[in-house]
Every structure is written in C-alpha cells, then in structure tokens.
Amino acid sequence: MVPPAPTAHVLVVDDDEPILAALRRALEYEGLRVSLARDGYEALDRARRDPPDLVVLDVMLPGLSGIEVCGRLRDHRPQALVLMLTARDGTADRVRGLDAGADDYLVKPFAYEELLARVRALLRRRLPGPQTRLAFDDLVLEPLARQARRGGRALDLTALEFDLLAHFLIHPRQVLTRTQLLEAVWRMPAATASNVVDVYVGYLRTKLEAGGEPRLLHTVRGVGYVLRAPEPVPAAEGP
C-alpha cells in the first residue's frame, strides 16, 4: 500500500546523550526515521551521506557550533528544515540562529509535546500528502486507483513494484540508496543484508522498457538508483 506521505528523515544533533536518546524515542514513536550526531562535524558528514528532511540542531556543540552547522547546511542542502535548540533565552541568540537559516527555534528545557508539534508543523511544509497522480517524463501513477502507465501503455505491477515505483516518483532525480529504499518501501532495518532492492528494480526496468522505451531507472554505481530522464540519443552524422 502506498503511504500517504514518504517517511521523513530527521537528523538530531546534540552532545547530551540523555537528550539524544529521549528525542530518538519520541521521534521514532511519531513514525519518523531518525539519525543521530554528537558534534557539528559528524552532523555535516551524516547530512552529506544521508540527506535529512529536518535537522533538530543544538546551538552549543563541540567542534563546530550549531550556528556554523546551520550555515553550512544551508550552503549544501538549502531545502533541509532546521529546528534549533538552545539553553539560552536571549533574543540575540535567536536572531543569530534565524539569520543562519534556522526555520524555528526552541529554548531548553522544553516539553517534548511542543517539540513534536513544531516538527510536525515544519514537515507539513515539505512532505506531500495523499496524491491522486504522480508523473515523470512519460510515466504516470495514480496511487488511489493503483494504476500505472508509461505513455499510453498500461503497466501490470505487483503491489511491491507499485510502491517502489511510487517512491521513486515522489523523489525524482534524487539518488536513493538501497538502505533508504529498504526502510521506506519494505520497512526493513538498515542492517538487513538483502539484494531484494536490486531484484525489484530489475523487475521494474523490464516492465517499464517492455515497449522499447528508454531507461528511466538508472544505477548509480556503489550508491543506489535514481529516476531521471533518459539521455538524448545523439543525431547521426551526415555523409
């Protein structure tokens, strides 16, 4: 079954282990996928390797400060949402964080109910809700009707094939790792060793290209897969 929205990925950055553990429990209970980082450099590395939809970011971090991390995130992943946490209640600190690109600000100590409400509000800006149609190039999916077409040709997809293709259509031109696909489509943990993703991408390619159409699902060697437009065929040279 296609979920009403893709599972959001939240990166929590704090050097306080009890806070990290509590935030992870609370956010995972909300159905979110959670990654953790304990300093600014680790946060930037994780954000590069597994881009988050939202970052819950403490201002006071060892190494790089949260303000610096926020600024660098904005340079390399401007679409990521940032909720900053601070033990300081001064207006100047909030202004610095917002000027660095934070989307919201919460002062410690905070109620977890308020933090979760702010996370939900921020994610509503970014993640799509139920859709009646997904389209890319000549490929169209209708999630509510569970129908798929490429050009004028109907595609006979299994439930898992449909869900996998829908996930690619929700994230066009974005390289998706096997781990991300396992977690989002199969709900399997990241540590699972399986070639099921490769097998199902192969099934999809066979069906998507059965009419001689060019490839839409491309392999990014050593990383995963991406849905992108086919490369243009070079014109033949004249005599």
Side-chain angles (χ1 to χ4, degrees), residues 164 168 176-183 185-186 188 192 194-205 217 223-225:
L164 178 59
F168 278 113
L176 301 173
T177 67
R178 290 170 179 82
T179 294
Q180 289 171 323
L181 293 168
L182 277 172
E183 292 179 340
V185 179
W186 280 266
M188 294 171 70
T192 302
S194 173
N195 68 343
V196 67
V197 174
D198 306 283
V199 171
Y200 272 82
V201 168
Y203 293 159
L204 282 178
R205 282 175 171 165
L217 284 178
V223 183
Y225 299 97

PDB file of all heavy atoms in Angstrom, residues 164 168 176-183 185-186 188 192 194-205 217 223-225:
ATOM      1  N   LEU A 164       7.359   0.670  -4.863  1.00  0.00           N
ATOM      2  CA  LEU A 164       8.732   1.066  -5.136  1.00  0.00           C
ATOM      3  C   LEU A 164       8.773   2.156  -6.212  1.00  0.00           C
ATOM      4  O   LEU A 164       9.480   3.161  -6.078  1.00  0.00           O
ATOM      5  CB  LEU A 164       9.550  -0.149  -5.575  1.00  0.00           C
ATOM      6  CG  LEU A 164      11.010   0.094  -5.951  1.00  0.00           C
ATOM      7  CD1 LEU A 164      11.790   0.708  -4.793  1.00  0.00           C
ATOM      8  CD2 LEU A 164      11.676  -1.211  -6.402  1.00  0.00           C
ATOM      9  N   PHE A 168      10.086   6.232  -6.055  1.00  0.00           N
ATOM     10  CA  PHE A 168      10.972   6.927  -6.995  1.00  0.00           C
ATOM     11  C   PHE A 168      10.294   8.179  -7.563  1.00  0.00           C
ATOM     12  O   PHE A 168      10.940   9.222  -7.728  1.00  0.00           O
ATOM     13  CB  PHE A 168      11.363   5.990  -8.149  1.00  0.00           C
ATOM     14  CG  PHE A 168      12.485   5.054  -7.826  1.00  0.00           C
ATOM     15  CD1 PHE A 168      12.265   3.695  -7.740  1.00  0.00           C
ATOM     16  CD2 PHE A 168      13.769   5.533  -7.619  1.00  0.00           C
ATOM     17  CE1 PHE A 168      13.308   2.811  -7.448  1.00  0.00           C
ATOM     18  CE2 PHE A 168      14.818   4.673  -7.328  1.00  0.00           C
ATOM     19  CZ  PHE A 168      14.585   3.304  -7.238  1.00  0.00           C
ATOM     20  N   LEU A 176      18.763   7.449  -4.521  1.00  0.00           N
ATOM     21  CA  LEU A 176      18.258   6.744  -3.344  1.00  0.00           C
ATOM     22  C   LEU A 176      19.113   5.507  -3.109  1.00  0.00           C
ATOM     23  O   LEU A 176      19.310   4.693  -4.010  1.00  0.00           O
ATOM     24  CB  LEU A 176      16.797   6.335  -3.554  1.00  0.00           C
ATOM     25  CG  LEU A 176      15.824   7.495  -3.822  1.00  0.00           C
ATOM     26  CD1 LEU A 176      14.448   6.958  -4.187  1.00  0.00           C
ATOM     27  CD2 LEU A 176      15.734   8.408  -2.610  1.00  0.00           C
ATOM     28  N   THR A 177      19.618   5.366  -1.885  1.00  0.00           N
ATOM     29  CA  THR A 177      20.440   4.209  -1.561  1.00  0.00           C
ATOM     30  C   THR A 177      19.557   2.982  -1.338  1.00  0.00           C
ATOM     31  O   THR A 177      18.347   3.086  -1.105  1.00  0.00           O
ATOM     32  CB  THR A 177      21.264   4.456  -0.292  1.00  0.00           C
ATOM     33  OG1 THR A 177      20.367   4.552   0.834  1.00  0.00           O
ATOM     34  CG2 THR A 177      22.077   5.739  -0.407  1.00  0.00           C
ATOM     35  N   ARG A 178      20.174   1.817  -1.399  1.00  0.00           N
ATOM     36  CA  ARG A 178      19.431   0.588  -1.126  1.00  0.00           C
ATOM     37  C   ARG A 178      18.861   0.608   0.293  1.00  0.00           C
ATOM     38  O   ARG A 178      17.752   0.135   0.536  1.00  0.00           O
ATOM     39  CB  ARG A 178      20.339  -0.622  -1.329  1.00  0.00           C
ATOM     40  CG  ARG A 178      20.698  -0.857  -2.798  1.00  0.00           C
ATOM     41  CD  ARG A 178      21.798  -1.900  -2.957  1.00  0.00           C
ATOM     42  NE  ARG A 178      22.115  -2.133  -4.365  1.00  0.00           N
ATOM     43  CZ  ARG A 178      22.927  -1.353  -5.081  1.00  0.00           C
ATOM     44  NH1 ARG A 178      23.501  -0.286  -4.513  1.00  0.00           N
ATOM     45  NH2 ARG A 178      23.160  -1.622  -6.358  1.00  0.00           N
ATOM     46  N   THR A 179      19.635   1.136   1.233  1.00  0.00           N
ATOM     47  CA  THR A 179      19.164   1.227   2.617  1.00  0.00           C
ATOM     48  C   THR A 179      17.911   2.092   2.711  1.00  0.00           C
ATOM     49  O   THR A 179      16.931   1.733   3.384  1.00  0.00           O
ATOM     50  CB  THR A 179      20.269   1.806   3.515  1.00  0.00           C
ATOM     51  OG1 THR A 179      21.360   0.885   3.565  1.00  0.00           O
ATOM     52  CG2 THR A 179      19.757   2.039   4.926  1.00  0.00           C
ATOM     53  N   GLN A 180      17.925   3.259   2.053  1.00  0.00           N
ATOM     54  CA  GLN A 180      16.756   4.134   2.080  1.00  0.00           C
ATOM     55  C   GLN A 180      15.531   3.446   1.495  1.00  0.00           C
ATOM     56  O   GLN A 180      14.422   3.561   2.033  1.00  0.00           O
ATOM     57  CB  GLN A 180      17.059   5.422   1.315  1.00  0.00           C
ATOM     58  CG  GLN A 180      18.043   6.345   2.014  1.00  0.00           C
ATOM     59  CD  GLN A 180      18.488   7.496   1.126  1.00  0.00           C
ATOM     60  OE1 GLN A 180      18.676   7.340  -0.074  1.00  0.00           O
ATOM     61  NE2 GLN A 180      18.653   8.673   1.715  1.00  0.00           N
ATOM     62  N   LEU A 181      15.728   2.716   0.411  1.00  0.00           N
ATOM     63  CA  LEU A 181      14.602   2.037  -0.225  1.00  0.00           C
ATOM     64  C   LEU A 181      14.088   0.889   0.621  1.00  0.00           C
ATOM     65  O   LEU A 181      12.875   0.678   0.739  1.00  0.00           O
ATOM     66  CB  LEU A 181      15.016   1.544  -1.614  1.00  0.00           C
ATOM     67  CG  LEU A 181      15.300   2.666  -2.628  1.00  0.00           C
ATOM     68  CD1 LEU A 181      15.989   2.101  -3.872  1.00  0.00           C
ATOM     69  CD2 LEU A 181      14.017   3.383  -3.013  1.00  0.00           C
ATOM     70  N   LEU A 182      15.001   0.132   1.240  1.00  0.00           N
ATOM     71  CA  LEU A 182      14.577  -0.956   2.134  1.00  0.00           C
ATOM     72  C   LEU A 182      13.726  -0.415   3.274  1.00  0.00           C
ATOM     73  O   LEU A 182      12.681  -0.985   3.616  1.00  0.00           O
ATOM     74  CB  LEU A 182      15.798  -1.677   2.708  1.00  0.00           C
ATOM     75  CG  LEU A 182      16.449  -2.768   1.859  1.00  0.00           C
ATOM     76  CD1 LEU A 182      17.748  -3.222   2.507  1.00  0.00           C
ATOM     77  CD2 LEU A 182      15.511  -3.948   1.655  1.00  0.00           C
ATOM     78  N   GLU A 183      14.162   0.688   3.874  1.00  0.00           N
ATOM     79  CA  GLU A 183      13.436   1.247   5.018  1.00  0.00           C
ATOM     80  C   GLU A 183      12.100   1.855   4.602  1.00  0.00           C
ATOM     81  O   GLU A 183      11.096   1.719   5.301  1.00  0.00           O
ATOM     82  CB  GLU A 183      14.297   2.301   5.719  1.00  0.00           C
ATOM     83  CG  GLU A 183      15.517   1.719   6.413  1.00  0.00           C
ATOM     84  CD  GLU A 183      16.372   2.775   7.078  1.00  0.00           C
ATOM     85  OE1 GLU A 183      16.258   3.958   6.699  1.00  0.00           O
ATOM     86  OE2 GLU A 183      17.154   2.413   7.977  1.00  0.00           O
ATOM     87  N   VAL A 185      10.211   1.376   1.640  1.00  0.00           N
ATOM     88  CA  VAL A 185       9.247   0.549   0.898  1.00  0.00           C
ATOM     89  C   VAL A 185       8.981  -0.779   1.600  1.00  0.00           C
ATOM     90  O   VAL A 185       7.832  -1.201   1.738  1.00  0.00           O
ATOM     91  CB  VAL A 185       9.730   0.324  -0.545  1.00  0.00           C
ATOM     92  CG1 VAL A 185       8.741  -0.549  -1.314  1.00  0.00           C
ATOM     93  CG2 VAL A 185       9.927   1.665  -1.261  1.00  0.00           C
ATOM     94  N   TRP A 186      10.049  -1.447   2.045  1.00  0.00           N
ATOM     95  CA  TRP A 186       9.895  -2.756   2.676  1.00  0.00           C
ATOM     96  C   TRP A 186       9.773  -2.660   4.195  1.00  0.00           C
ATOM     97  O   TRP A 186       9.473  -3.648   4.853  1.00  0.00           O
ATOM     98  CB  TRP A 186      11.078  -3.657   2.322  1.00  0.00           C
ATOM     99  CG  TRP A 186      10.987  -4.279   0.968  1.00  0.00           C
ATOM    100  CD1 TRP A 186      10.473  -5.516   0.669  1.00  0.00           C
ATOM    101  CD2 TRP A 186      11.428  -3.732  -0.278  1.00  0.00           C
ATOM    102  NE1 TRP A 186      10.575  -5.746  -0.682  1.00  0.00           N
ATOM    103  CE2 TRP A 186      11.156  -4.677  -1.292  1.00  0.00           C
ATOM    104  CE3 TRP A 186      12.038  -2.522  -0.640  1.00  0.00           C
ATOM    105  CZ2 TRP A 186      11.455  -4.461  -2.626  1.00  0.00           C
ATOM    106  CZ3 TRP A 186      12.338  -2.290  -1.965  1.00  0.00           C
ATOM    107  CH2 TRP A 186      12.051  -3.245  -2.949  1.00  0.00           C
ATOM    108  N   MET A 188      12.176  -2.509   6.194  1.00  0.00           N
ATOM    109  CA  MET A 188      13.215  -3.391   6.725  1.00  0.00           C
ATOM    110  C   MET A 188      14.321  -2.540   7.330  1.00  0.00           C
ATOM    111  O   MET A 188      14.607  -1.440   6.832  1.00  0.00           O
ATOM    112  CB  MET A 188      13.772  -4.282   5.618  1.00  0.00           C
ATOM    113  CG  MET A 188      12.759  -5.270   5.061  1.00  0.00           C
ATOM    114  SD  MET A 188      13.349  -6.134   3.580  1.00  0.00           S
ATOM    115  CE  MET A 188      14.614  -7.180   4.273  1.00  0.00           C
ATOM    116  N   THR A 192      19.793  -4.833   7.428  1.00  0.00           N
ATOM    117  CA  THR A 192      19.396  -6.020   6.681  1.00  0.00           C
ATOM    118  C   THR A 192      20.249  -6.181   5.428  1.00  0.00           C
ATOM    119  O   THR A 192      20.366  -5.267   4.625  1.00  0.00           O
ATOM    120  CB  THR A 192      17.917  -5.926   6.275  1.00  0.00           C
ATOM    121  OG1 THR A 192      17.126  -5.783   7.445  1.00  0.00           O
ATOM    122  CG2 THR A 192      17.484  -7.175   5.516  1.00  0.00           C
ATOM    123  N   SER A 194      20.390  -7.675   2.023  1.00  0.00           N
ATOM    124  CA  SER A 194      19.455  -8.254   1.075  1.00  0.00           C
ATOM    125  C   SER A 194      19.662  -7.637  -0.295  1.00  0.00           C
ATOM    126  O   SER A 194      19.990  -6.468  -0.409  1.00  0.00           O
ATOM    127  CB  SER A 194      18.013  -8.010   1.544  1.00  0.00           C
ATOM    128  OG  SER A 194      17.094  -8.430   0.570  1.00  0.00           O
ATOM    129  N   ASN A 195      19.466  -8.458  -1.332  1.00  0.00           N
ATOM    130  CA  ASN A 195      19.531  -7.936  -2.699  1.00  0.00           C
ATOM    131  C   ASN A 195      18.137  -7.715  -3.259  1.00  0.00           C
ATOM    132  O   ASN A 195      17.951  -7.601  -4.472  1.00  0.00           O
ATOM    133  CB  ASN A 195      20.321  -8.888  -3.598  1.00  0.00           C
ATOM    134  CG  ASN A 195      19.593 -10.209  -3.818  1.00  0.00           C
ATOM    135  OD1 ASN A 195      18.662 -10.544  -3.074  1.00  0.00           O
ATOM    136  ND2 ASN A 195      19.993 -10.952  -4.841  1.00  0.00           N
ATOM    137  N   VAL A 196      17.131  -7.652  -2.380  1.00  0.00           N
ATOM    138  CA  VAL A 196      15.754  -7.535  -2.834  1.00  0.00           C
ATOM    139  C   VAL A 196      15.537  -6.249  -3.623  1.00  0.00           C
ATOM    140  O   VAL A 196      14.760  -6.223  -4.585  1.00  0.00           O
ATOM    141  CB  VAL A 196      14.774  -7.640  -1.646  1.00  0.00           C
ATOM    142  CG1 VAL A 196      14.903  -6.452  -0.708  1.00  0.00           C
ATOM    143  CG2 VAL A 196      13.338  -7.766  -2.134  1.00  0.00           C
ATOM    144  N   VAL A 197      16.215  -5.163  -3.262  1.00  0.00           N
ATOM    145  CA  VAL A 197      16.058  -3.907  -3.994  1.00  0.00           C
ATOM    146  C   VAL A 197      16.516  -4.077  -5.436  1.00  0.00           C
ATOM    147  O   VAL A 197      15.824  -3.680  -6.381  1.00  0.00           O
ATOM    148  CB  VAL A 197      16.819  -2.761  -3.305  1.00  0.00           C
ATOM    149  CG1 VAL A 197      16.782  -1.490  -4.162  1.00  0.00           C
ATOM    150  CG2 VAL A 197      16.233  -2.467  -1.929  1.00  0.00           C
ATOM    151  N   ASP A 198      17.702  -4.678  -5.610  1.00  0.00           N
ATOM    152  CA  ASP A 198      18.226  -4.886  -6.959  1.00  0.00           C
ATOM    153  C   ASP A 198      17.289  -5.754  -7.793  1.00  0.00           C
ATOM    154  O   ASP A 198      17.063  -5.481  -8.985  1.00  0.00           O
ATOM    155  CB  ASP A 198      19.608  -5.540  -6.885  1.00  0.00           C
ATOM    156  CG  ASP A 198      20.561  -4.758  -6.005  1.00  0.00           C
ATOM    157  OD1 ASP A 198      21.077  -3.725  -6.443  1.00  0.00           O
ATOM    158  OD2 ASP A 198      20.753  -5.183  -4.860  1.00  0.00           O
ATOM    159  N   VAL A 199      16.728  -6.777  -7.172  1.00  0.00           N
ATOM    160  CA  VAL A 199      15.824  -7.674  -7.885  1.00  0.00           C
ATOM    161  C   VAL A 199      14.584  -6.924  -8.361  1.00  0.00           C
ATOM    162  O   VAL A 199      14.167  -7.039  -9.525  1.00  0.00           O
ATOM    163  CB  VAL A 199      15.431  -8.862  -6.985  1.00  0.00           C
ATOM    164  CG1 VAL A 199      14.313  -9.681  -7.622  1.00  0.00           C
ATOM    165  CG2 VAL A 199      16.646  -9.743  -6.715  1.00  0.00           C
ATOM    166  N   TYR A 200      13.993  -6.117  -7.462  1.00  0.00           N
ATOM    167  CA  TYR A 200      12.758  -5.421  -7.825  1.00  0.00           C
ATOM    168  C   TYR A 200      13.005  -4.268  -8.795  1.00  0.00           C
ATOM    169  O   TYR A 200      12.140  -3.972  -9.628  1.00  0.00           O
ATOM    170  CB  TYR A 200      12.021  -4.957  -6.569  1.00  0.00           C
ATOM    171  CG  TYR A 200      11.084  -6.017  -6.049  1.00  0.00           C
ATOM    172  CD1 TYR A 200      11.552  -7.055  -5.256  1.00  0.00           C
ATOM    173  CD2 TYR A 200       9.735  -6.006  -6.384  1.00  0.00           C
ATOM    174  CE1 TYR A 200      10.715  -8.054  -4.808  1.00  0.00           C
ATOM    175  CE2 TYR A 200       8.878  -7.000  -5.930  1.00  0.00           C
ATOM    176  CZ  TYR A 200       9.370  -8.024  -5.148  1.00  0.00           C
ATOM    177  OH  TYR A 200       8.525  -9.011  -4.718  1.00  0.00           O
ATOM    178  N   VAL A 201      14.148  -3.613  -8.702  1.00  0.00           N
ATOM    179  CA  VAL A 201      14.479  -2.611  -9.711  1.00  0.00           C
ATOM    180  C   VAL A 201      14.583  -3.292 -11.078  1.00  0.00           C
ATOM    181  O   VAL A 201      14.131  -2.751 -12.096  1.00  0.00           O
ATOM    182  CB  VAL A 201      15.779  -1.867  -9.359  1.00  0.00           C
ATOM    183  CG1 VAL A 201      16.291  -1.041 -10.551  1.00  0.00           C
ATOM    184  CG2 VAL A 201      15.556  -0.939  -8.164  1.00  0.00           C
ATOM    185  N   GLY A 202      15.156  -4.498 -11.116  1.00  0.00           N
ATOM    186  CA  GLY A 202      15.221  -5.255 -12.360  1.00  0.00           C
ATOM    187  C   GLY A 202      13.831  -5.577 -12.901  1.00  0.00           C
ATOM    188  O   GLY A 202      13.581  -5.456 -14.113  1.00  0.00           O
ATOM    189  N   TYR A 203      12.908  -5.991 -12.005  1.00  0.00           N
ATOM    190  CA  TYR A 203      11.540  -6.250 -12.443  1.00  0.00           C
ATOM    191  C   TYR A 203      10.917  -4.993 -13.055  1.00  0.00           C
ATOM    192  O   TYR A 203      10.253  -5.053 -14.102  1.00  0.00           O
ATOM    193  CB  TYR A 203      10.673  -6.693 -11.258  1.00  0.00           C
ATOM    194  CG  TYR A 203      11.014  -8.037 -10.659  1.00  0.00           C
ATOM    195  CD1 TYR A 203      10.619  -8.349  -9.362  1.00  0.00           C
ATOM    196  CD2 TYR A 203      11.720  -9.003 -11.374  1.00  0.00           C
ATOM    197  CE1 TYR A 203      10.913  -9.575  -8.785  1.00  0.00           C
ATOM    198  CE2 TYR A 203      12.016 -10.238 -10.815  1.00  0.00           C
ATOM    199  CZ  TYR A 203      11.620 -10.515  -9.513  1.00  0.00           C
ATOM    200  OH  TYR A 203      11.912 -11.730  -8.946  1.00  0.00           O
ATOM    201  N   LEU A 204      11.100  -3.852 -12.359  1.00  0.00           N
ATOM    202  CA  LEU A 204      10.520  -2.603 -12.843  1.00  0.00           C
ATOM    203  C   LEU A 204      11.089  -2.211 -14.207  1.00  0.00           C
ATOM    204  O   LEU A 204      10.353  -1.781 -15.106  1.00  0.00           O
ATOM    205  CB  LEU A 204      10.754  -1.476 -11.837  1.00  0.00           C
ATOM    206  CG  LEU A 204       9.850  -1.447 -10.609  1.00  0.00           C
ATOM    207  CD1 LEU A 204      10.243  -0.304  -9.684  1.00  0.00           C
ATOM    208  CD2 LEU A 204       8.385  -1.306 -11.014  1.00  0.00           C
ATOM    209  N   ARG A 205      12.392  -2.355 -14.351  1.00  0.00           N
ATOM    210  CA  ARG A 205      13.003  -1.993 -15.635  1.00  0.00           C
ATOM    211  C   ARG A 205      12.415  -2.835 -16.770  1.00  0.00           C
ATOM    212  O   ARG A 205      12.131  -2.326 -17.856  1.00  0.00           O
ATOM    213  CB  ARG A 205      14.515  -2.186 -15.553  1.00  0.00           C
ATOM    214  CG  ARG A 205      15.244  -1.073 -14.824  1.00  0.00           C
ATOM    215  CD  ARG A 205      16.707  -1.394 -14.693  1.00  0.00           C
ATOM    216  NE  ARG A 205      17.472  -0.277 -14.184  1.00  0.00           N
ATOM    217  CZ  ARG A 205      18.701  -0.369 -13.716  1.00  0.00           C
ATOM    218  NH1 ARG A 205      19.314  -1.560 -13.689  1.00  0.00           N
ATOM    219  NH2 ARG A 205      19.355   0.693 -13.264  1.00  0.00           N
ATOM    220  N   LEU A 217      15.010   4.311 -14.840  1.00  0.00           N
ATOM    221  CA  LEU A 217      15.629   3.943 -13.568  1.00  0.00           C
ATOM    222  C   LEU A 217      17.104   3.627 -13.815  1.00  0.00           C
ATOM    223  O   LEU A 217      17.434   2.613 -14.427  1.00  0.00           O
ATOM    224  CB  LEU A 217      14.930   2.737 -12.942  1.00  0.00           C
ATOM    225  CG  LEU A 217      13.580   2.997 -12.288  1.00  0.00           C
ATOM    226  CD1 LEU A 217      12.984   1.699 -11.766  1.00  0.00           C
ATOM    227  CD2 LEU A 217      13.706   4.009 -11.162  1.00  0.00           C
ATOM    228  N   VAL A 223      26.242   3.284  -5.031  1.00  0.00           N
ATOM    229  CA  VAL A 223      25.371   4.113  -4.193  1.00  0.00           C
ATOM    230  C   VAL A 223      23.939   3.575  -4.190  1.00  0.00           C
ATOM    231  O   VAL A 223      23.410   3.184  -3.162  1.00  0.00           O
ATOM    232  CB  VAL A 223      25.377   5.589  -4.664  1.00  0.00           C
ATOM    233  CG1 VAL A 223      24.510   6.445  -3.721  1.00  0.00           C
ATOM    234  CG2 VAL A 223      26.794   6.124  -4.721  1.00  0.00           C
ATOM    235  N   GLY A 224      23.293   3.558  -5.353  1.00  0.00           N
ATOM    236  CA  GLY A 224      21.904   3.123  -5.397  1.00  0.00           C
ATOM    237  C   GLY A 224      21.300   3.383  -6.754  1.00  0.00           C
ATOM    238  O   GLY A 224      21.915   3.109  -7.788  1.00  0.00           O
ATOM    239  N   TYR A 225      20.095   3.969  -6.760  1.00  0.00           N
ATOM    240  CA  TYR A 225      19.357   4.175  -8.007  1.00  0.00           C
ATOM    241  C   TYR A 225      18.749   5.574  -8.037  1.00  0.00           C
ATOM    242  O   TYR A 225      18.514   6.196  -6.991  1.00  0.00           O
ATOM    243  CB  TYR A 225      18.247   3.129  -8.139  1.00  0.00           C
ATOM    244  CG  TYR A 225      18.752   1.711  -8.189  1.00  0.00           C
ATOM    245  CD1 TYR A 225      18.774   0.914  -7.052  1.00  0.00           C
ATOM    246  CD2 TYR A 225      19.248   1.172  -9.382  1.00  0.00           C
ATOM    247  CE1 TYR A 225      19.247  -0.381  -7.087  1.00  0.00           C
ATOM    248  CE2 TYR A 225      19.729  -0.124  -9.435  1.00  0.00           C
ATOM    249  CZ  TYR A 225      19.728  -0.893  -8.287  1.00  0.00           C
ATOM    250  OH  TYR A 225      20.214  -2.178  -8.327  1.00  0.00           O
TER     251      TYR A 225
END
